[in-house]
C-alpha cells in the first residue's frame, strides 16, 4: 500500500503542508514539528514520487559534482557526503572527473545545462576566471574548496591560509626550526593559499623562509610525497619538521623517512592536511588539519538548493566551514 | 570552428562510417583503422554532440552505478575507473550509495528506469535473489563483484574463492601454521566466497580449521580490523598469520600489532585484499590480492554497452577478470 503525505500528516498530528515543507527541505519548520514529521516519515516508510515531482517542477532531479579524481580519498569521502546530503533533498548526483586539468574542467563546465542537471557543485583546480561563462549553463553553480579565481558564484571552503598557518605554527611550537613544505604547485589555487599560510606562520615564529625547503608537487599523490621527502632529507641542512599540503603527500613522506632509517617525530615531525581516515591508522598516526567535510558538503547542497528553489537575486555567498588541528603521533613526543 | 565527423575521416583517411563506428564504441573496427581514427580524433579535438545524439536514440546519456560507500577506497577507485570507461562511450555516471544495507539496495534497484538511466552497474552486498525484479526497470543491469545470489544478469568479478585460497596458501608456504581470518559476515556474498577459499587453502596445506581463528566483521573498516586483531592476539594460541578480507581490515590489523609491541611479519604475517594504493605505502607495506580494477570497470561498461546497443537476447555473461598476489613487506622475511 502506498503511503501518502496525508497518512504521514495524520500520524504526526500536523498539516499536510507541514509534512510537504519537511519533505521538500524548506528551512522554516518548527523544530518540534520537524521532529514529529521525521519520526512519522520513518514509521510509515513514506517515499516521495521523485520522478513525478521533478516533472511537475521542470527539474531533472540531478546535481552534478565535478572533482579531480575519486580515487583520491579526500574526494571519495567528499563525494560520498555530497551524495548523502543531496539524497535528503531528493537529488541524485552525477559525478564528473577532471583529473584536475584546466582543459577537462573547462569541458565539464561547458557541458552543464538545465536539460542535464538542476545545479552543479564544482571543485576546480586549474580553472581561471576567463574560463567561466557569466551564466554557466543557466544553472546555479556552487564552488567548493579554495581557488584563486574571482568569480561571482556561491562558494564553500575552509580558511586554507589560516589552516596552513595553524599546522606550521604547531610545528614551530614544538621547537622545530627548519620547517619544510611539500606540495607547491603554482597552477593550483589551494597550493598558493597553503603556501601563504606556511610563510605567515614562519614569519610569526621568527623563522626565515627558504625556497630550498619548499618542495614542488605536481600531483598530490603518495609517491610524489615520498620522492619530495627524500630530496629534502638529502639537503645539507635537512628539515626537522615538514608540512605536507595533503595527507597523501604526508603518508608518502612517512614512508620515505622510515626507508632512510630515520624516525618520526624524533628526527622529523610531519603534519598533513585533510584528515583522511588513513591518517588515524598510519604508523605513526598522522597529525593533520581536519576540515569538517560533512559541514562542507551540507553547506554546498543547501546553497544550491536555495538557488534552485528560487533565490536567484541575492549576492553570491562565501561560506567558511570549520576545521581543527588533529594532533597525533607524528608530532607528539620525540626529541 | 566545430569539428565534424567528416573532418576526422579526411584526416584519418577512412570513411565517415568508420569514424562513427569508433566514436560509438562498436567492437568490430580494424585495429589499424581504429588507431588512425583515434589519432585524428585527438588531433582535431572532435567532440560528439552527446545531447543531440542521445535524443535521437531515445537515451538519457546516463549510467547508474550502485556501490556501498565511496569513502571506502576500493569503491572510490572503482567508481573513478567506471566513470572513465563510461566517458569513452559518451555516458555520464550517476552514483548511488547504499551503505551495503539490503533495504537501501532494494530501494535503489526499484528506483531505476529508462526515464533515468540507460543501464546500471550494481555492486550489491546484501541483496537476495527475491529482491530482483525479472526486468529491473526495463534497463540492462550488470552485477559487479562476488555475490551469493543466482540471478540472470551479466556479471563481472574476479574468482574470489581462488583469490582467497592464493592469499592463504601464500601464508602457509611461509611456514605459518595458525592462520586466522578477519572479515566473516554471513550477510555478505563476498565474505562466504573468501571464507571458502580460506578453508580450502587450510585443508590443502594440512592445517585444521578452527572457528576461534575466524573473526567476524560487520563493516570491513580499519577500526574493525584493529579490534579483531586485538581479540585474536589475546587468544591462548594467537595466530602467526592473518588473512584479512580487505585492505582496510589489514591496515587496522597492522596498527593493532604495532600497538601491542609485536612485529609484522616476524610475529604475525598479514595479507590483505583489494590492493588499495594505501597498501603500498603502509609501514610495513601490505601483501595483498590485487584485482585488475581497470579490467573489471571496462568489462562492465562493455557489457552494459552491448546490451544497450541491441544485444538483448544472448544469455547472461559471466566474466572473470584477473587478479594477482602482490607480495610486500607484511609477509616478506621475518622469523
Amino acid at each position: 500500500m502506498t503511503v501518502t503525505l496525508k497518512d504521514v500528516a495524520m500520524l504526526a498530528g500536523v498539516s499536510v503542508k507541514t509534512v510537504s515543507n519537511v519533505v521538500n527541505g524548506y528551512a522554516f519548520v518548527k523544530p518540534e514539528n520537524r521532529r514529529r514529521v521525521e519520526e512519522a516519515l520513518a514509521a510509515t516508510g513514506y517515499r516521495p514520487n521523485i520522478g513525478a515531482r521533478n516533472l511537475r517542477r521542470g527539474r531533472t532531479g540531478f546535481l552534478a559534482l565535478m572533482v579531480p579524481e575519486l580515487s583520491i580519498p579526500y574526494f571519495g569521502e567528499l563525494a560520498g557526503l555530497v551524495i548523502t546530503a543531496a539524497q535528503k533533498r531528493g537529488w541524485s548526483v552525477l559525478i564528473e572527473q577532471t583529473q584536475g586539468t584546466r582543459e577537462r574542467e573547462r569541458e565539464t563546465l561547458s557541458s552543464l545545462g538545465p536539460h542535464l542537471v538542476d545545479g552543479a557543485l564544482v571543485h576546480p583546480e586549474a580553472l581561471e576566471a576567463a574560463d567561466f561563462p557569466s551564466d554557466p549553463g543557466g544553472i546555479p553553480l556552487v564552488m567548493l574548496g579554495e581557488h584563486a579565481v574571482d568569480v561571482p558564484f556561491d562558494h564553500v571552503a575552509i580558511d586554507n591560509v589560516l589552516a596552513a598557518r595553524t599546522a606550521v605554527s604547531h610545528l614551530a611550537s614544538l621547537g622545530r626550526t627548519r620547517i619544510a613544505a611539500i606540495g607547491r604547485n603554482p597552477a593550483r589555487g589551494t597550493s598558493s593559499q597553503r603556501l601563504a599560510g606556511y610563510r605567515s606562520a614562519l614569519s610569526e615564529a621568527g623563522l626565515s623562509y627558504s625556497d630550498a625547503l619548499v618542495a614542488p608537487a605536481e600531483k598530490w599523490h603518495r609517491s610524489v610525497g615520498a620522492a619530495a621527502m627524500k630530496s629534502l632529507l638529502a639537503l645539507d641542512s635537512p628539515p626537522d619538521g615538514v608540512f605536507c599540503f595533503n595527507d597523501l603527500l604526508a603518508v608518502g613522506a612517512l614512508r620515505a623517512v622510515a626507508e632512510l632509517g630515520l624516525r618520526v617525530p624524533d628526527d622529523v615531525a610531519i603534519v598533513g592536511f585533510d584528515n583522511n581516515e588513513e591518517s588515524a591508522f598510519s604508523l605513526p598516526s598522522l597529525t593533520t588539519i581536519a576540515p569538517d567535510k560533512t559541514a562542507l558538503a551540507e553547506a554546498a547542497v543547501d546553497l544550491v538548493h536555495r538557488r534552485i528553489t528560487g533565490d536567484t537575486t541575492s549576492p553570491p555567498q562565501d561560506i567558511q566551514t570549520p576545521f581543527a588541528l588533529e594532533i597525533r603521533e607524528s608530532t607528539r613526543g620525540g626529541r
Side-chain angles (χ1 to χ4, degrees), chain A:
Chain A
M1 203 193 66
T2 309
V3 179
T4 65
L5 281 189
K6 209 170 149 187
D7 301 328
V8 178
M10 278 186 60
L11 184 63
V14 300
S15 69
V16 169
K17 178 72 189 143
T18 300
V19 177
S20 163
N21 284 344
V22 172
V23 169
N24 291 313
Y26 293 115
F28 302 106
V29 177
K30 282 186 203 157
E32 169 60 18
N33 284 349
R34 181 182 299 277
R35 192 189 55 74
R36 285 159 68 179
V37 170
E38 282 173 351
E39 282 173 17
L41 287 170
T44 56
Y46 171 81
R47 294 185 55 216
N49 183 336
I50 291 169
R53 199 168 78 185
N54 288 327
L55 213 59
R56 273 198 311 278
R57 294 178 180 168
R59 292 199 203 143
T60 64
F62 298 128
L63 290 184
L65 171 65
M66 179 185 105
V67 292
E69 293 174 71
L70 278 185
S71 64
I72 292 185
Y74 176 79
F75 293 112
E77 289 181 27
L78 184 65
L81 294 165
V82 165
I83 292 173
T84 302
Q87 200 168 45
K88 288 187 202 156
R89 312 282 199 179
W91 275 307
S92 292
V93 178
L94 203 82
I95 299 187
E96 303 284 355
Q97 288 188 120
T98 61
Q99 314 300 329
T101 66
R102 185 176 172 195
E103 193 198 338
R104 287 278 305 125
E105 291 185 349
R106 205 158 37 181
E107 269 182 32
T108 303
L109 211 60
S110 72
S111 73
L112 301 172
H115 60 289
L116 202 68
V117 293
D118 301 325
L121 311 183
V122 170
H123 189 112
E125 297 221 318
L127 279 177
E128 301 188 6
D131 299 328
F132 286 84
S134 63
D135 183 15
I139 54 162
L141 197 136
V142 174
M143 310 276 286
L144 301 180
E146 206 44 76
H147 54 88
V149 293
D150 184 25
V151 287
F153 301 110
D154 291 330
H155 175 220
V156 190
I158 67 166
D159 182 337
N160 269 273
V161 178
L162 180 60
R165 209 173 75 199
T166 305
V168 176
S169 297
H170 171 60
L171 287 167
S173 76
L174 303 172
R176 308 292 163 141
T177 55
R178 287 188 313 287
I179 302 174
I182 298 180
R184 183 164 56 79
N185 179 343
R188 294 173 68 156
T190 326
S191 168
S192 341
Q193 305 276 339
R194 295 186 187 169
L195 197 58
Y198 164 76
R199 294 189 74 143
S200 126
L202 288 186
S203 120
E204 222 170 49
L207 300 170
S208 59
Y209 170 86
S210 154
D211 260 339
L213 287 177
V214 178
E218 206 205 321
K219 293 263 179 187
W220 290 0
H221 290 178
R222 296 177 186 85
S223 56
V224 177
M229 191 69 186
K230 282 185 183 165
S231 314
L232 288 170
L233 292 173
L235 291 174
D236 286 338
S237 298
D240 56 3
V242 178
F243 168 47
C244 298
F245 287 6
N246 79 354
D247 279 0
L248 295 187
L249 292 168
V251 162
L254 285 180
R255 172 96 208 160
V257 175
E259 283 179 4
L260 291 167
L262 298 172
R263 287 164 315 160
V264 174
D266 308 45
D267 298 304
V268 54
I270 297 182
V271 181
F273 203 113
D274 283 348
N275 195 30
N276 298 340
E277 203 195 289
E278 177 179 358
S279 345
F281 288 84
S282 61
L283 288 163
S285 60
L286 190 63
T287 296
T288 186
I289 295 291
D292 186 338
K293 286 169 253 185
T294 306
L296 201 147
E298 286 180 352
V301 171
D302 276 354
L303 271 175
V304 83
H305 176 260
R306 235 188 46 195
R307 297 296 183 188
I308 292 170
T309 54
D311 174 6
T312 51
T313 51
S314 69
Q317 298 281 306
D318 203 330
I319 292 184
Q320 272 187 358
T321 46
F323 69 87
L325 174 70
E326 194 73 54
I327 299 178
R328 300 205 184 96
E329 295 161 355
S330 69
T331 62
R332 203 186 282 146
R335 287 293 160 99

